Amino acid sequence: MDTPTLPSPDAHRPDLDWLRVMAIVLLHLFHTGMMFNTWEWHVKSPQALPALEPTMEVLHLVRMPLLMLISGVGTAFALRRRTVGAFAKDRTRRLLGPLVFGMFVVVPPQIYVERLFQGRLQGSYAAFYPTVFDFVPYPAGSFSWHHLWFVAYLFTYCILALPLFAALRTPRGERWIANADAWLSRGWNVAWLMVPLALNRYLLRDWSETHALLDDPRTFIHYGLLFLYGHLLGRCPGVWTRLVTLRHAMLAIAVAGLVPAMAESSLPPPVRMLAGSVALWGTLLAALGYARHHVRTAPSYPFYILHQTVIVCVGYLLLRLPVGPWVLLGLVLTGSFVLTCALTVGVSRVSWLRPCFGLKAGTSRTATLAPRMVG
């Protein structure tokens, strides 16, 4: 098997940039599909497309976990260049700042359009907007982080993990990392990280996914594990060569786990949960291995912040067109994607707006899709 020439551990990682963008594109596809399937969402097409749902179930399994894993890797790289204190300050600026901006500027149009669609509101946006400052949580009120829950969770993980990050910089911590790297780089050991994911999914199976942070233990632990796994992998340079070697096998394992994981009722719930964890972890490791083998580059963070609001608004404007559901899906998908890309490029070129979306101040002369997702 051929082995590519890989960048040094301290080099920029375009493979992870590429994975970020791929995850963001999948996220855009998923949220556009939510308008057309039979699941509950903010704005719904009058004609449903249930045929989308099997594919969307697969996307739902891996899209956000992939982003969280990569974000965890990014924290390891960031801490090579700065102190723990500087890291905390940087994450506050690039995560908490955009989260607050999003909750007051980006998310409210989604809530307004949803209530127009449902017939619960008929006034102007100017009349609606002051209700945000009642600070009554959605859906009863107009205060929410909606799709930006990911940013809230990521910021929380970064802050909670600061003592761990400091401990890993000590001589004892560095020895532990070296031992972990050696162990993860042998055989199939990296696959065993799936076990805590499976246990969490099974033991906390009765807790629904709320994205409300304080009453969401299964989801909070699930993404917290992925965040820590990403950070661990980012500190273990040897394991990446092993992931390249295992990429084909991990993909096969992921596909094998996906079949029972998607079975609705033919298998007992514990079996489906275990299969789901196998499919998830196999997919994530395969994605890291393939990306490391086929290096690309691209950007993503402001696109993530903007995309769902654009989808909801564009969908609301187009849903009344006298066309079939598949044509409508194509129009909403294409229109929202193009508009989100245009807004993203525009944001990246406006100096005073850039910090609101987690970017460094100044202008970007070569903006393409967006700068990298914060990790």
Side-chain angles (χ1 to χ4, degrees):
M1 180 179 296
D2 59 325
T3 302
T5 301
L6 301 178
S8 67
D10 293 322
H12 175 57
R13 292 293 300 273
D15 54 323
L16 298 179
D17 289 348
W18 180 77
L19 274 180
R20 288 183 182 100
V21 171
M22 291 302 297
I24 291 294
V25 170
L26 291 178
L27 194 65
H28 191 89
L29 290 170
F30 181 87
H31 281 149
T32 303
M34 286 294 293
M35 192 176 298
F36 293 89
N37 64 12
T38 61
W39 306 343
E40 183 179 353
W41 207 57
H42 310 291
V43 175
K44 301 296 294 187
S45 168
Q47 295 177 285
L49 294 172
L52 295 173
E53 291 171 14
T55 300
M56 292 183 64
E57 288 179 0
V58 177
L59 292 179
H60 182 63
L61 181 68
V62 301
R63 60 195 175 92
M64 300 309 293
L66 178 59
L67 274 177
M68 187 60 77
L69 186 71
I70 297 171
S71 295
V73 176
T75 62
F77 295 158
L79 282 163
R80 291 174 179 164
R81 305 187 302 271
R82 52 177 65 92
T83 65
V84 173
F87 171 85
K89 182 178 179 180
D90 177 76
R91 266 37 190 179
T92 300
R93 176 181 64 85
R94 300 182 68 186
L95 292 173
L96 184 60
L99 175 63
V100 173
F101 176 82
M103 292 175 70
F104 286 101
V105 177
V106 178
V107 171
Q110 293 186 50
I111 302 173
Y112 174 70
V113 167
E114 177 183 351
R115 290 179 179 161
L116 286 178
F117 178 79
Q118 295 173 346
R120 297 169 53 193
L121 186 69
Q122 296 182 358
S124 67
Y125 184 74
F128 155 81
Y129 186 72
T131 65
V132 174
F133 295 91
D134 293 337
F135 299 109
V136 177
Y138 173 91
S142 306
F143 191 63
S144 174
W145 51 46
H146 268 40
H147 65 292
L148 300 182
W149 69 267
F150 179 90
V151 181
Y153 279 49
L154 179 55
F155 175 72
T156 302
Y157 297 144
C158 287
I159 298 303
L160 292 179
L162 290 177
L164 172 64
F165 295 160
L168 291 177
R169 301 179 80 124
T170 64
R172 184 176 180 180
E174 291 176 353
R175 287 193 299 270
W176 186 90
I177 287 293
N179 291 332
D181 190 13
W183 186 80
L184 290 171
S185 302
R186 290 198 301 267
W188 294 83
N189 288 347
V190 69
W192 285 106
L193 295 178
M194 178 272 301
V195 174
L197 293 171
L199 288 174
N200 174 68
R201 188 174 184 182
Y202 177 73
L203 295 176
L204 297 181
R205 62 191 179 278
D206 294 330
W207 288 87
S208 60
E209 186 173 4
T210 68
H211 298 159
L213 192 64
L214 298 180
D215 63 349
D216 196 22
R218 177 169 59 86
T219 304
F220 185 80
I221 294 174
H222 179 71
Y223 285 98
L225 286 170
L226 292 169
F227 173 82
L228 291 175
Y229 286 172
H231 186 82
L232 177 62
L233 294 178
R235 286 182 176 266
C236 295
V239 75
W240 293 91
T241 301
R242 188 60 187 160
L243 291 177
V244 171
T245 302
L246 293 175
R247 67 191 188 280
H248 301 312
M250 287 299 175
L251 179 60
I253 290 172
V255 173
L258 192 61
V259 175
M262 294 295 105
E264 290 295 330
S265 58
S266 58
L267 295 173
V271 176
R272 295 204 309 272
M273 292 178 187
L274 176 61
S277 296
V278 170
L280 169 62
W281 192 235
T283 299
L284 297 183
L285 294 183
L288 293 178
Y290 279 107
R292 188 68 165 144
H293 187 72
H294 304 284
V295 177
R296 298 292 186 272
T297 186
S300 59
Y301 190 26
F303 188 99
Y304 170 77
I305 292 175
L306 290 164
H307 81 281
Q308 183 166 301
T309 297
V310 175
I311 291 171
V312 170
C313 294
V314 169
Y316 176 74
L317 294 174
L318 297 182
L319 283 178
R320 294 177 177 82
L321 291 178
V323 297
W326 287 105
V327 174
L328 188 58
L329 171 63
L331 290 174
V332 173
L333 181 62
T334 302
S336 60
F337 186 82
V338 171
L339 181 56
T340 305
C341 288
L343 290 172
T344 297
V345 172
V347 162
S348 68
R349 292 178 176 175
V350 178
S351 178
W352 63 271
L353 269 180
R354 288 172 59 86
C356 298
F357 291 86
L359 310 179
K360 293 181 179 179
T363 58
S364 173
R365 297 179 180 178
T366 59
T368 54
L369 182 61
R372 291 176 291 157
M373 186 77 172
V374 177

